[in-house]
Every structure is written in structure tokens, then in C-alpha cells.
Amino acid sequence: MSATTPSAGPRPFWQPHLAGVLLGLGLLMTFVLTGHGLGASGFTTALAATTADVVAPAATESSSYWGPMFENGRNPLDSWITWQVIGAALGALIGAMTAGRFQISYDGPVRLGKPQRLLMAFAGGAISGLGARISLGCTSGLGLSGAATLASAGFLFLGGFFITGAIIGLATKRIWQ
Amino acid sequence: MSFPLGIGGIASGLVCGLVFGFALERAGFGSATKLTAQLRFKDWAVFNVMFTAILVAAIGLYVLQLIGYVDMEQIYIPSAFLWATLLGGVGVGAGMSIGGYCPGTSVVGFCSGKIDALLFFAGLIFGTFIFAGAYDFLEPMLKAMPAPEAQTLPELLDVPTWVVLGALVAVAATVGYLTTRKPASPSSAASA
């Protein structure tokens, strides 16, 4: 794994089934080690709670939603999921660097300008964040990890996810390609 | 020694996360264009990667349980509220089609240098604030319809686990075959 020359361009993505096997083995290892699967939105929730607590501690700790996360002096970020997301960030960084794919850039719907793309990314993130709290889990925690335990909830989540995503995805395909 | 080991420490979080993030990056899931191409049915990587991963872990858990290494009673199985689970899936699906990522993949995106993924991540925090603000109003509605007693597909359908696994393998293999075989067009012969 020596440094890639800029002219070589990024390496291709892995074949989907190969990447899926590695992801599945990582998920299986997580279940065997911890008894639960992988996640993501548990961390964003803890980060949001901590942000709220820094800005308005009294209001946050008396809030019916945030309050219980701070009971008995607890810190919501002091949790396994925080370390798992830090690990995922490092893993992604290593993956992008070693494949020559790390580049400061703007992804998103190519037919739109940068400000509109960033606005759509923020709006999509807000809808996703709200959704993940409604279902108590996101594509990782409920879709991937839930379905791996054959939980009906995992498949129900994935059904709602793919059907809605495809309806809006097909309706907006002109701005993406 | 019996599994799960109940290791919830820093090292296990970092190691499990490292494999997770690396696999998602190698799959191409740090790219909003790649992720949303699945939703336009132009690229089946999201389906193929996710289904393969789900089956590897599910079959692994099943085998480890059969040989007595894993006690499924100790494995966390989500059993949320029916409408809430479906509605949340709708929200996360809409979020990906509009913003390009989901919570986990936005982390992979901005660790690949994508500015829009960072904005998506900021949006996640904002969306969590909206939920917290509306919590007293939302909570009774979301808890209105609890999930059935049967937590898993084998329990719900009243069939053995291997039947469900077999059916899922059949679906995954069929979709995988149809979506990853090389097109038999003359133009592809030149690239071989």
C-alpha cells in the first residue's frame, strides 16, 4: 500500500458482494463481542443532546426527551456508540486514503449549483435525523443490524426506506444525472 | 466461553467501527451519487451490499447458535412500534433521496472529503432537535401501535429460521445475478 500517484486516479470500488461479505463479518463480530449490532443515529442523538446541554443546560435537563439522558450526572456521549462512530470515521478515512479517493469535493445532484446541493444535503439530513428518532434507529441500527437478527422491525424499516427513497429518487432523477 | 462476550468497551467500539467504516467506504457508500443511484435503479450496489451483509451476519448467528456458541436470548432484537418503525423508514428513505446519505454513510462521506456529507450530518443534528421539540406531541402517536409479540420473521410467519434464511438467500442471489452479470452487448466484449 504505497502512496498512490495522483495521475493514477482513484481505485475502483469493491465488487458489491465482496464489500457485503466484509460488512457482514464486521457486523457478526460486533454481535459476538457486544450482543448488539452496528449503529449511527444513536451517536448523532447523543451529540445533539450534548449540544443542547451546552447551549441551554437547565432547559435541556428538564426536557422530557433530553432529560433522562442526563439523569444521575450521565453524559450521553460516554457510550459504546461514540467509539464505534469514531472507529467508522477512521475506517472510512483509511479506506478513502488508501484507495486514492480522499478529495475535498461536493457530491450530490450534479445539475444543481453548490449552494442548492448543500441546502438539499442539510434538508435531507434533517428529515433523516427526524425519521431515525421516530423509528428509534437508522439504516445501520435498524435496517442492517435489525434485519441480521431477522427482526420484523428491521424489514419493515427497510421496506419504508426503499419504497419512499425510490419514489422520490425517480421523481427527482433529472437533477442527479 | 460463551458468546456474546459483553465487551462494550472503547477497543471493541473502535475495532467494530473501523471494519464498518472501511467496508462502507470500499463499497462506494461515501458517495451520494452512488447511494442514490440505487433509488433510481441505475446501480444495485446498495441492495447487493446490504443484503449480502445481512445474510452473512444472520447465517453466522444462526450457525453459532446451532453449535451452542451464541445465546440468541442475549442478542438485542429491535422490536419498536409498528407505525413508528415504518414512518421512520419513510423519513430516512426520503432523507437519502433528497440529501444523498443516511446517518452512517454521511460519516463515511465527509471522511472521504465530501462537504455535502458534512452538511447532511449537521442536518441530522437539526432533525434530532426538531424531534426533541415535538416529542411531547409525537410520543403518544408513535407508541399507538406496538409491534406484534412475534419479534422476528420466523416467529411472525411461524416457520423455522432456516426457511426464512433460505428464502432471503434466494431473493439476494436472484437480484445479485440479474444486476451484476455482464451485459451481453457487443460493446462489452471490447472491454474484456
Side-chain angles (χ1 to χ4, degrees), chain B residues 51-177:
Chain B
F51 244 76
T52 305
I54 287 167
L55 283 168
V56 165
I59 293 169
L61 283 174
Y62 180 65
V63 170
L64 289 173
Q65 182 196 15
L66 275 186
I67 59 177
Y69 270 46
V70 162
D71 176 7
M72 281 306 279
E73 295 289 309
Q74 304 294 318
I75 297 288
Y76 172 72
I77 296 171
S79 59
F81 298 89
L82 218 54
W83 288 124
T85 302
L86 188 61
L87 189 61
V90 166
V92 177
M96 179 176 279
S97 58
I98 293 164
Y101 303 90
C102 63
T105 49
S106 71
V107 174
V108 179
F110 77 68
C111 287
S112 312
K114 306 283 170 63
I115 305 294
D116 57 314
L118 188 59
L119 264 286
F120 187 96
F121 189 86
L124 288 173
I125 305 293
F126 185 70
T128 310
F129 281 132
I130 296 175
F131 179 79
Y135 185 66
D136 291 330
F137 169 72
L138 287 172
E139 193 199 11
M141 286 191 290
L142 297 175
K143 292 188 174 167
M145 196 185 221
E149 285 288 305
Q151 287 192 321
T152 65
L153 287 185
E155 288 166 7
L156 190 72
L157 305 171
D158 198 21
V159 293
T161 301
W162 64 266
V163 173
V164 172
L165 289 174
L168 291 174
V169 168
V171 171
T174 305
V175 173
Y177 173 74

Side-chain angles (χ1 to χ4, degrees), chain A residues 9-113:
Chain A
R11 286 163 206 228
F13 297 131
W14 280 6
Q15 203 278 336
H17 293 102
L18 179 65
V21 168
L22 180 66
L23 182 58
L25 290 174
L27 179 58
L28 182 62
M29 174 178 77
T30 308
F31 275 118
V32 168
L33 287 176
T34 69
H36 57 74
L38 296 160
S41 61
F43 171 71
T44 52
T45 303
L47 193 58
T50 305
T51 308
D53 196 46
V54 167
V55 175
T60 302
E61 281 157 40
S62 64
S63 142
S64 54
Y65 185 63
W66 305 122
M69 299 181 199
F70 293 93
E71 252 167 23
N72 306 318
R74 279 179 55 219
N75 171 5
L77 280 173
D78 183 12
S79 162
W80 186 86
I81 191 70
T82 299
W83 297 104
Q84 185 243 273
V85 170
I86 291 171
L90 288 172
L93 188 64
I94 293 168
M97 292 283 196
T98 55
R101 253 195 298 276
F102 184 88
Q103 194 183 7
I104 302 294
S105 59
Y106 297 82
D107 207 323
V110 291
R111 298 288 168 94
L112 300 181

Side-chain angles (χ1 to χ4, degrees), chain A residues 116-176:
Chain A
Q116 289 102 313
R117 282 197 236 174
L118 294 181
L119 192 65
M120 277 185 71
F122 185 83
I127 296 167
S128 185
L130 178 62
R133 281 311 85 208
I134 288 172
S135 51
L136 300 172
C138 60
T139 334
S140 313
L142 201 49
L144 181 70
S145 306
T149 65
L150 300 181
S152 322
F155 289 94
L156 186 64
F157 177 91
L158 285 177
F161 170 80
F162 269 116
I163 291 168
T164 311
I167 290 170
I168 301 177
L170 289 171
T172 59
K173 68 177 178 186
R174 284 190 182 177
I175 60 171
W176 286 86

